[in-house]
Amino acid sequence: MEIKIKKLRENAKVPQRGTSAAAGADLYACFDGGWIDIAPGDTVMVPTGIAAEIPDGYAGLIMARSGLSVKRDLAPANKVGLIDSDYRGEIMVALHNHGALQQTVELHERVAQLMIVPYVKADYVEVDELSDTVRGEGGFGSTGTK
């Protein structure tokens, strides 16, 4: 599958997969200046300088990069960002600093990864009753104990 990418800034980088088997493609920070500082507890909208044309029936998921989140406490503020197929604006990463130290994001640093996934267009229908299951209304932790 091809995903069309439009550079909105001349120095923007097209998403790249780290290996041929990688499910996600790296998204790169692209902004004026050399870096962005993120204070502890703050969230900064990090621009990527690109827009994408995601086919109908698919969505783009913006996911954390494990190294960035584990080593530097930086991860998407919304945990997983969602890009709808009809969105044509700049892809932004809401990067949150979960740590106690200020972090610096540099130009062209890999800040998240983009995964393209199919989805089902469901119709939601109101009913009076739902079918029974063994679990029923059991919520968090209801399916097992130590």
Side-chain angles (χ1 to χ4, degrees):
M1 169 183 288
E2 286 186 357
I3 303 296
K4 295 178 182 175
I5 299 294
K6 179 181 178 181
K7 286 187 176 183
L8 304 176
R9 291 185 186 85
E10 191 174 313
N11 64 340
K13 294 182 77 169
V14 173
Q16 296 289 319
R17 290 182 296 134
T19 68
S20 62
D26 289 325
L27 290 173
Y28 301 87
C30 184
F31 41 77
D32 296 328
W35 68 88
I36 294 174
D37 290 325
I38 307 176
D42 279 358
T43 299
V44 173
M45 296 299 288
V46 178
T48 64
I50 61 169
E53 185 174 317
I54 299 171
D56 188 37
Y58 292 83
L61 301 181
I62 296 177
M63 317 278 272
R65 293 194 72 253
S66 56
L68 197 63
S69 61
V70 171
K71 295 176 183 174
R72 294 184 42 210
D73 294 317
L74 294 174
N78 51 347
K79 307 306 178 216
V80 176
L82 174 64
I83 305 170
D84 294 311
S85 63
D86 59 350
Y87 177 67
R88 294 295 184 269
E90 182 172 10
I91 295 174
M92 304 286 284
V93 177
L95 207 54
H96 183 78
N97 183 349
H98 294 275
L101 301 174
Q102 177 172 296
Q103 295 293 326
T104 299
V105 174
E106 296 184 6
L107 178 66
H108 294 149
E109 184 171 346
R110 298 174 295 171
V111 292
Q113 48 189 330
L114 174 63
M115 185 188 309
I116 305 298
V117 296
Y119 66 90
V120 174
K121 292 181 184 179
D123 292 321
Y124 298 91
V125 180
E126 183 178 354
V127 297
D128 292 327
E129 296 293 327
L130 300 175
S131 62
D132 287 329
T133 66
V134 172
R135 182 178 185 168
E137 294 181 17
F140 294 105
S142 66
T143 61
T145 58
K146 286 187 173 184

